[in-house]
Amino acid sequence: MGRFLQIAGLVVGLIGLVLQFAITIPASMAAGRGLLGSIVFYFSFFTVLTNIAAVMVHASLLSPAGYAWFPAFAGPRMRTGVAVAITLVFIVYATVLAKLWQPQGLFLLCDILLHYVTPLIFVLWWLIAGADGTARWRDISWWIIYPLAYLAYALIRAPFAGEVPYPFLDTAKNGAASVAVSALAITGLFIALSVLAVFVDHGIGRLRGKPATRTESGRR
């Protein structure tokens, strides 16, 4: 089941990312951006970056010889961190962003694939085969770097690009205080999901006879 979910996650993730790229670039250029600006725009979304990370995790562990294709994405710290991040993608989109626009056609298909289907597949895979009881509380300090670095990038880029990837990060429209509250809320949610992920990982480890007392040197 775990390998099936890996393959499904890899295939669905790649389809969603490639299709999103194929429809975003022409639409972005039609809106007045150049080719390079359109490519940067595509890679400026937390959803896209996180789905790329999920695809890399799936791909890294599908070697028939049992070794990791991409070792940086194969370890338990990365697997759990991506599970947290892609769960955040699902929650924020479903509760905040989905009501802000009504995509149609292929844009709707991409939205469903990248915000709902890939998170579901990845989290199911992590619960069944990815979690192993080796998560450490200090891992949270590593995982949080990703959303904080993304937030910094989005806010620094905004004055130069004249746009933000997500409406709640628009200081010109919402004000700095509102953006700060939104950023703190999402960061707090990420930390809460991280804490939950460590608890769940430890529980799964115990069920599999791998208690969370394994040392860092025991990481794969």
Side-chain angles (χ1 to χ4, degrees):
M1 184 62 175
R3 189 168 182 82
F4 169 77
L5 289 171
Q6 275 184 287
I7 295 172
L10 177 63
V11 172
V12 173
L14 283 174
I15 290 174
L17 288 167
V18 171
L19 183 58
Q20 184 73 70
F21 185 87
I23 62 178
T24 295
I25 300 304
S28 178
M29 294 181 69
R33 300 181 190 89
L35 176 59
L36 179 59
S38 296
I39 294 174
V40 172
F41 175 71
Y42 171 80
F43 286 105
S44 293
F45 287 88
F46 190 83
T47 295
V48 169
L49 297 176
T50 306
N51 271 275
I52 290 173
V55 163
M56 293 297 287
V57 170
H58 286 311
S60 71
L61 298 169
L62 281 176
S63 165
Y67 61 86
W69 291 108
F70 309 104
F73 289 88
R77 176 188 288 168
M78 179 65 76
R79 298 197 300 258
T80 305
V82 173
V84 171
I86 207 160
T87 300
L88 184 74
V89 166
F90 164 74
I91 292 175
V92 173
Y93 188 81
T95 60
V96 178
L97 297 173
K99 63 186 74 172
L100 299 181
W101 78 313
Q102 291 76 43
Q104 303 293 325
L106 292 178
F107 282 101
L108 175 60
L109 175 60
C110 287
D111 263 25
I112 293 172
L113 292 179
L114 298 180
H115 293 109
Y116 297 105
V117 180
T118 56
L120 176 62
I121 292 175
F122 193 92
V123 172
L124 281 176
W125 167 77
W126 178 75
L127 291 171
I128 292 171
D132 63 0
T134 64
R136 297 290 182 266
W137 293 111
R138 59 178 170 269
D139 290 343
I140 297 175
S141 64
W142 288 98
W143 300 334
I144 196 66
I145 292 173
Y146 171 45
L148 291 180
Y150 175 81
L151 176 64
Y153 162 76
L155 295 178
I156 292 171
R157 176 179 178 269
F160 301 99
E163 63 186 8
V164 289
Y166 299 104
F168 52 78
L169 296 179
D170 192 342
T171 55
K173 181 179 294 185
N174 304 319
S178 176
V179 170
V181 170
S182 296
L184 286 173
I186 292 175
T187 301
L189 176 59
F190 185 92
I191 293 173
L193 290 171
S194 298
V195 170
L196 177 62
V198 174
F199 273 120
V200 171
D201 181 80
H202 288 178
I204 290 174
R206 285 191 292 270
L207 287 173
R208 294 175 181 168
K210 299 177 181 179
T213 56
R214 193 167 155 187
T215 62
E216 288 295 314
S217 62
R219 286 183 179 278
R220 287 188 288 113

